[in-house]
Amino acid sequence: MPVPPTAAARSSATPTPTLAAPPARPAPRAHRRTDAPPAGAAAEKRAAEKKGEQAAGDVVRWAVFCCVLVPVVLVVYGTSLAGAAGAALGLVSVTAACRLLLRRSERGLRAETPHGGHRR
């Protein structure tokens, strides 16, 4: 069995230079008023809300896809049709409940916008 190298043998090797450059310093920020919203804040907020709604729709679409895929895989791997149907029913009920809660939370967030007077 080979003998592992000793600390003395490892220290005699020359260190290899690193390839990473030192991190650049960020540019200094200009001072701006903190009480005024940044330019385009309303447009950015609307875009973020729309992106969130799209993300929620994507989640629901993937959940529906899984509700179809899981029973098919269960049947292919030998589960009975009744077992696969039960799994599908369970997945559909959980997906429906999650979709309901997701839509309710989206409505709540829309109600808290500056127009609703709750969110600051």
Side-chain angles (χ1 to χ4, degrees), residues 70-111:
V70 167
V72 170
V73 170
L74 287 174
V75 169
V76 167
Y77 281 98
T79 305
S80 67
L81 288 176
L89 185 62
L91 286 171
V92 166
S93 63
V94 168
T95 300
C98 290
R99 182 179 183 271
L100 176 76
L101 292 172
L102 188 60
R103 299 297 180 213
R104 183 178 290 177
S105 69
E106 285 175 349
R107 280 197 306 263
L109 285 175
R110 273 189 242 126

Side-chain angles (χ1 to χ4, degrees), residues 18-80:
T18 59
L19 298 177
R25 295 183 60 171
R29 292 186 173 187
H31 294 284
R32 62 174 128 150
R33 293 177 35 192
T34 57
D35 59 342
E44 289 176 9
K45 189 171 185 174
R46 282 191 303 271
E49 288 175 359
K50 187 173 182 177
K51 184 177 180 184
E53 290 174 5
Q54 289 173 347
D58 288 344
V59 169
V60 171
R61 278 191 289 279
W62 276 107
V64 169
F65 172 73
C66 290
C67 288
V68 173
L69 181 66
V70 167
V72 170
V73 170
L74 287 174
V75 169
V76 167
Y77 281 98
T79 305
S80 67

